[in-house]
Amino acid sequence: MAKFNTIDDMELHGKVVLTRVDVNVPVENGQVTDTTRIDKIVPTVKDIQAAGGIPVLLAHFDRPKGQRVDSMSLRQIVPALEAALGQSVTFADDCIGGTAKRAVAALQPGDVALLENTRFHAGEEKNDATFAASMAALGGAYVNDAFSAAHRAHASTEALARLLPAGAGRLMEAELKALDAALGNPQRPVMAVVGGAKVSTKLDLLMNLVDKVDHLVIGGGMANTFLVAQGVEVGKSLAERDMADTARAILDKAKATGCQIHLPVDIVVAREFKAGAENQTLPVAECPEDAMILDAGPATVEALRQAMTACKTLIWNGPLGAFEIDPFDAATNAAAKSAADLTMAGALVSVAGGGDTVAALNKAGVAGDFTFISTAGGAFLEWMEGKVLPGVAALEAARR
């Protein structure tokens, strides 16, 4: 597991603590429409305050490309942040320079401040040392609580960690511990469920997982590509036929490493991609030429349930079918329910992440029953792919 300091390892009393958070939340007409990411940073802010530190929040919002864009100002999230924290929040119109210095200098113990969008400066995404030093001059310690931005080598996620005593916030700590439990040092056997539309977008992920897990379940449009690679006709289904050789290479690697690949044994097909479309459940090799596969069938789900029951750890990324529309969410819902039941019974450690995954598990009504749900998106995927995350590497360096 990555070795890093946490808030508990740091001397924060009397210090301004520059705290990198992810509050890149959806906003409509100046109002935050989903406060999930804001809610998740509250424990870190409160624990820094309890340790005698003064949290000064650093964050990006949208993609202003190094320019000041009023519609991308963090000022608009202040009301939602204040509601989540239950206190007023000082807002500074810049994250460096005189404006930021004056705002920080006026803070008292118990206060919290939010500085303006770090991406209003080109130095942020360039990981510029001078820009990072300007931010570092504002504080006496650094806490990174934005795992979702840890795959970016930006000034506020990487360079800053090398300029001040640094550690992980509570959300970052929880993410890293959950991922270590899922892939780093898991209880075996381990199952990974990987769904989604295209093999090409998850090639690195699949190649890494066949080295790491005992069972790899492939679902969604990706499964169709693997079926094509095995000579199965899939009609008008979404499939990357030009990736068939790659799919066969993954199957060969899995055989060599002892990883069992699970593909659909039965399918749900329809001739229209719409909610309530007339559909049939057929053996996997019997997809009509004019139909498309939109979900895995019940026999596939039962086989997955049995395999899952024999496992100790599950990592999930992506749905098994077109979960957005009924009734083609059935396989995803049923498999997710099985995972949730095993988790609640104490028989399975279950970790899930990725945008579609979180939406699918919420739709199935079981997200709260998984051991851990990551909201990190790209960082979660890159970790699963076995890549080094610059923001995490910087915290490891700080530990040394």
Side-chain angles (χ1 to χ4, degrees):
M1 181 176 172
K3 301 295 184 183
F4 52 88
N5 292 322
T6 69
I7 291 171
D8 301 322
D9 303 311
M10 302 175 73
E11 178 50 63
L12 302 180
H13 188 79
K15 293 181 180 179
V16 168
V17 184
L18 299 179
T19 308
R20 181 56 162 94
V21 295
D22 183 358
V23 289
N24 192 21
V25 294
V27 172
E28 292 180 13
N29 300 318
Q31 300 290 316
V32 175
T33 58
D34 183 348
T35 63
T36 301
R37 285 181 167 176
I38 293 174
D39 296 336
K40 285 181 176 292
I41 70 170
V42 172
T44 292
V45 173
K46 295 299 185 184
D47 284 356
I48 290 171
Q49 291 175 322
I54 301 174
V56 172
L57 309 183
L58 298 169
H60 74 277
F61 188 80
D62 213 326
R63 297 178 178 177
K65 306 289 186 184
Q67 304 291 322
R68 181 172 288 272
V69 181
D70 289 344
S71 63
M72 299 179 190
S73 172
L74 282 168
R75 185 185 294 276
Q76 60 197 318
I77 76 151
V78 170
L81 183 58
E82 290 180 330
L85 293 173
Q87 68 175 96
S88 62
V89 173
T90 297
F91 180 75
D93 199 38
D94 205 344
C95 61
I96 60 171
T99 298
K101 288 179 181 177
R102 286 187 292 274
V104 170
L107 296 173
Q108 300 296 318
D111 289 347
V112 59
L114 173 66
L115 306 188
E116 184 58 283
N117 194 340
T118 57
R119 289 187 182 176
F120 280 1
H121 295 269
E124 166 69 345
E125 295 189 69
K126 293 178 180 178
N127 202 17
D128 181 75
T130 301
F131 176 62
S134 296
M135 287 189 290
L138 299 171
Y142 170 77
V143 166
N144 191 344
D145 206 35
F147 177 77
S148 52
H151 59 313
R152 306 297 188 202
H154 292 173
S156 67
T157 60
E158 202 273 344
L160 195 51
R162 301 179 186 276
L163 298 175
L164 293 170
R170 298 306 188 201
L171 182 57
M172 172 75 85
E173 181 183 358
E175 291 267 7
L176 293 177
K177 286 181 176 178
L179 290 177
D180 185 65
L183 277 183
N185 294 283
Q187 299 178 56
R188 291 193 175 276
V190 181
M191 172 182 282
V193 174
V194 181
K198 297 182 177 181
V199 172
S200 56
T201 61
K202 295 188 177 179
L203 177 58
D204 290 344
L205 172 60
L206 295 172
M207 283 294 193
N208 186 50
L209 287 177
V210 293
D211 275 333
K212 299 285 183 68
V213 305
D214 305 290
H215 298 268
L216 177 57
V217 179
I218 301 175
M222 286 198 304
N224 300 336
T225 300
F226 279 82
L227 294 174
V228 168
Q230 294 180 322
V232 177
E233 292 300 324
V234 297
K236 293 185 176 180
S237 307
L238 174 67
E240 292 179 289
R241 297 176 185 276
D242 60 335
M243 296 292 290
D245 286 344
T246 300
R248 283 189 284 269
I250 292 170
L251 292 170
D252 289 344
K253 185 178 180 183
K255 184 179 291 187
T257 60
C259 172
Q260 184 176 346
I261 300 284
H262 299 262
L263 292 167
V265 296
D266 62 342
I267 51 177
V268 179
V269 303
R271 286 160 180 83
E272 295 180 279
F273 185 82
K274 70 175 186 179
E278 185 177 341
N279 61 85
Q280 302 170 265
T281 300
L282 299 168
V284 70
E286 296 182 13
C287 180
E289 289 184 6
D290 62 343
M292 52 191 145
I293 301 168
L294 294 180
D295 201 9
T300 300
V301 174
E302 176 57 21
L304 296 187
R305 188 193 65 78
Q306 291 185 19
M308 199 181 291
T309 300
C311 291
K312 297 292 186 184
T313 302
L314 171 70
I315 185 164
W316 189 313
N317 175 257
L320 299 179
F323 79 98
E324 308 95 330
I325 54 175
D326 299 327
F328 307 111
D329 56 350
T332 300
N333 290 348
K337 182 68 164 57
S338 293
D341 289 345
L342 289 166
T343 303
M344 296 300 286
L348 189 69
V349 173
S350 54
V351 177
D356 282 350
T357 309
V358 176
L361 298 183
N362 280 327
K363 191 169 188 282
V366 299
D369 297 333
F370 272 55
T371 306
F372 187 81
I373 301 289
S374 172
T375 57
F380 181 84
L381 278 175
E382 290 198 17
W383 182 279
M384 287 180 68
E385 290 167 1
K387 295 178 180 176
V388 173
L389 306 186
V392 176
L395 292 182
E396 290 182 290
R399 173 76 175 188
R400 295 193 292 269

